[in-house]
Amino acid sequence: MKKKIAILGSTGSIGKSTLEVISKDKKNFEIVLLTANNNYKKLIQQAKQFKAKNVLIKNHKYYLNVKKSLKKTKVYYGNASLKKIFKKKIDYTMSAIVGIAGLKPTLESIKCSKVVAIANKESIICGWNIISKFANKYKTKILPIDSEHFSIMELTKNISDSEVEEIIITASGGPFLNLPIKKLNKVKPAQAAKHPNWKMGKKISIDSSNMMNKVFEIIEAHKLFKFSRTKYKIIIHPQSYVHSIIRFKNGLIKMILYNTDMKIPIFNTLYTDKKKILKTSNIQFEKLNKLNFKKVNLKLFPSVRILDKIFTLGPSAPIIMNAANEVLVDLFLKKKINFLDIVKYINKIFKDKSFNKYAKMNPSSIKDIKIADNWARLKTASMCVK
Ligand code: NAD
Ligand code: MG
């Protein structure tokens, strides 16, 4: 039987990598849903290539374009309910929309998919309470795709907190690792979006360039796994071959290495059949002679200091930080603010007189998350126009 697959955000970097893995083994997969926001041309091309049963275009403006081009596919738009599209549970959903916009579709997919692989870290950071509740209720397996979290999952199967000394998440340091600090304020969006090791969507590339991505990833790990929060550390590893490292209390250190290719975590969550072979470029061992590790320079990456306080600011603080960051990254990409303003304004919102009121809210529904998220978006935008 073919595995029934849905991809939320199929036109993005993770979505395309997922389809690339599937394209090598089309006879074993059936694409039952592809979704995109605006890129209707890519969506149409993918739907034709993979004979998708259903597609969803978020932006209604492109609905007719998609509808006219795809005669054999059911076409939906906007927030159409996945539960209505699928009468029975499908096998696997890749959640690869960027930003908090991915939370609602991710939750819907938990209701109608046996496995949900989540790349969309913003959903985990802001909505883990609800995601985990839904996963229990609907007996759905959640698998992390973010390379560090996929590695931690692999390294800590059947491991308890008492056996673990440290959990280390590596960071490449991005494009500005060796830039003199005084030049940081002048960097342009195109420079920040050019990651030295990974090809990714724009937003995560900017988050990587100032290491907000690692701030998100520590929170993400804390939500996903049951290890003590203080055990998580970040280390700079410019080559990005090592993704995560576990230091055990028995003196052993285990790490996972693989090429900077998201098809590797994707492949390993798509197949439960261990005999399947992924054809990918292997790491040449000679390259491992030059593995470097160093401490994070907090002057170069002040974002990392946010981790000293974010867990004590209230349950909705990550939602506020995420929303502010989404607004700020967008403004930076539009050249409305400078590179250093991103972290500066995030810190400013933590000090706002209304911050506590929203940060202390315990979010138990999408509605609660929206309240904190909306406040943060409006506040951030108003801070920046001054
Ligand atoms: P991307 O920008 O390349 O793609 C985003 C996808 O989401 C596109 O298909 C787009 O159409 C869709 N989308 C955007 N806004 C939407 C909205 N409002 N409603 C519905 N769909 C919308 O992003 P990406 O690099 O593929 O990243 C996707 C997610 O995976 C992010 O959360 C990112 O942090 C995470 N992630 C990515 C990588 C990577 O290598 N790219 C690695 C780890 C984690
Ligand atoms: Mg990552």
Side-chain angles (χ1 to χ4, degrees), residues 252-319:
L252 290 180
I253 292 175
K254 294 187 185 176
M255 51 176 87
I256 284 196
L257 294 88
Y258 56 88
N259 254 337
T260 50
D261 182 350
M262 290 306 289
K263 290 199 286 301
I264 297 170
I266 293 167
F267 175 92
N268 281 281
T269 60
L270 262 175
Y271 288 103
T272 39
D273 176 359
K274 298 271 182 268
K275 288 183 206 129
K276 281 280 171 195
I277 298 167
L278 173 68
K279 291 196 184 74
T280 177
S281 57
N282 280 324
I283 296 181
Q284 300 303 309
F285 280 107
E286 296 73 28
K287 288 194 176 167
L288 303 184
N289 294 338
K290 292 190 202 132
L291 289 190
N292 291 324
F293 296 94
K294 59 180 179 183
K295 276 193 180 161
V296 179
N297 175 350
L298 293 172
K299 291 208 172 91
L300 188 62
F301 297 112
S303 63
V304 176
R305 290 186 207 268
I306 293 174
L307 286 168
D308 296 341
K309 58 183 174 207
I310 190 74
F311 293 101
T312 61
L313 294 176
S316 288
I319 299 169

Side-chain angles (χ1 to χ4, degrees), residues 9 11-14 37 96-97 101 119-122 146 200-201 204 262:
T11 56
S13 160
I14 294 283
N37 194 27
I97 291 171
N120 176 219
K121 64 185 81 188
E122 297 89 349
D146 213 346
M200 310 184 283
I204 184 175
M262 290 306 289

Side-chain angles (χ1 to χ4, degrees), residues 57-123:
I57 182 84
K58 179 82 203 313
N59 192 338
H60 180 239
K61 200 161 88 181
Y62 304 116
Y63 171 70
L64 281 182
N65 299 68
V66 181
K67 180 95 183 130
K68 277 183 202 149
S69 308
L70 298 174
K71 301 282 181 242
K72 292 180 190 144
T73 302
K74 280 196 182 145
V75 182
Y76 301 85
Y77 65 86
N79 297 317
S81 145
L82 302 191
K83 197 93 174 78
K84 284 199 181 127
I85 302 178
F86 303 122
K87 300 283 173 278
K88 259 174 50 188
K89 263 201 170 195
I90 62 166
D91 294 294
Y92 176 105
T93 299
M94 169 58 77
S95 156
I97 291 171
V98 60
I100 191 70
L103 178 59
K104 204 159 178 256
T106 301
L107 289 172
E108 288 230 349
S109 70
I110 294 173
K111 295 183 195 164
C112 50
S113 188
K114 290 177 194 164
V115 173
V116 178
I118 307 186
N120 176 219
K121 64 185 81 188
E122 297 89 349
S123 280

Side-chain angles (χ1 to χ4, degrees), residues 44-272:
I44 293 167
Q45 178 260 311
Q46 291 177 334
K48 285 184 177 162
Q49 185 185 347
F50 290 88
K51 300 191 174 64
K53 280 249 153 52
N54 304 282
V55 298
L56 184 151
I57 182 84
K58 179 82 203 313
N59 192 338
H60 180 239
K61 200 161 88 181
Y62 304 116
Y63 171 70
L64 281 182
N65 299 68
V66 181
K67 180 95 183 130
K68 277 183 202 149
S69 308
L70 298 174
K71 301 282 181 242
K72 292 180 190 144
T73 302
K74 280 196 182 145
V75 182
Y76 301 85
Y77 65 86
N79 297 317
S81 145
L82 302 191
K83 197 93 174 78
K84 284 199 181 127
I85 302 178
F86 303 122
K87 300 283 173 278
K88 259 174 50 188
K89 263 201 170 195
I90 62 166
D91 294 294
Y92 176 105
T93 299
M94 169 58 77
S95 156
I97 291 171
V98 60
I100 191 70
L103 178 59
K104 204 159 178 256
T106 301
L107 289 172
E108 288 230 349
S109 70
I110 294 173
K111 295 183 195 164
C112 50
S113 188
K114 290 177 194 164
V115 173
V116 178
I118 307 186
N120 176 219
K121 64 185 81 188
E122 297 89 349
S123 280
I124 297 176
I125 291 154
C126 302
W128 182 248
N129 273 357
I130 317 170
I131 291 177
S132 55
K133 210 160 59 189
F134 271 42
N136 278 335
K137 183 170 170 193
Y138 295 98
K139 300 190 173 41
T140 304
K141 195 168 181 177
I142 304 289
L143 296 172
I145 289 294
D146 213 346
S147 61
E148 299 78 4
H149 305 75
F150 169 76
S151 304
I152 296 171
M153 174 181 74
E154 288 291 316
L155 287 165
T156 60
K157 282 182 179 156
N158 304 317
I159 298 289
S160 67
D161 189 42
S162 61
E163 295 167 80
V164 170
E165 177 89 32
E166 273 185 331
I167 302 163
I168 301 157
I169 285 181
T170 61
S172 69
F176 307 133
L177 181 62
N178 298 312
L179 197 76
I181 295 175
K182 59 180 188 306
K183 291 198 171 166
L184 273 182
N185 214 27
K186 295 255 164 3
V187 300
K188 298 274 172 298
Q191 293 168 281
K194 203 164 182 288
H195 196 279
N197 304 338
W198 295 95
K199 278 202 200 89
M200 310 184 283
K202 266 197 188 136
K203 193 251 175 194
I204 184 175
S205 299
I206 304 299
D207 287 346
S208 301
S209 69
N210 61 6
M211 274 180 65
M212 275 308 290
N213 188 44
K214 291 300 139 183
V215 175
F216 289 130
E217 288 187 349
I218 296 285
I219 303 172
E220 183 185 7
H222 176 56
K223 303 272 182 190
L224 284 167
F225 307 109
K226 295 291 159 248
F227 300 107
S228 316
R229 179 169 51 76
T230 49
K231 293 184 180 174
Y232 292 102
K233 306 274 151 60
I234 303 171
I235 195 164
I236 298 278
H237 166 47
Q239 293 90 352
S240 299
Y241 288 129
V242 179
H243 298 275
S244 287
I245 307 168
I246 313 289
R247 188 196 292 277
F248 291 90
K249 288 190 177 162
N250 64 6
L252 290 180
I253 292 175
K254 294 187 185 176
M255 51 176 87
I256 284 196
L257 294 88
Y258 56 88
N259 254 337
T260 50
D261 182 350
M262 290 306 289
K263 290 199 286 301
I264 297 170
I266 293 167
F267 175 92
N268 281 281
T269 60
L270 262 175
Y271 288 103
T272 39

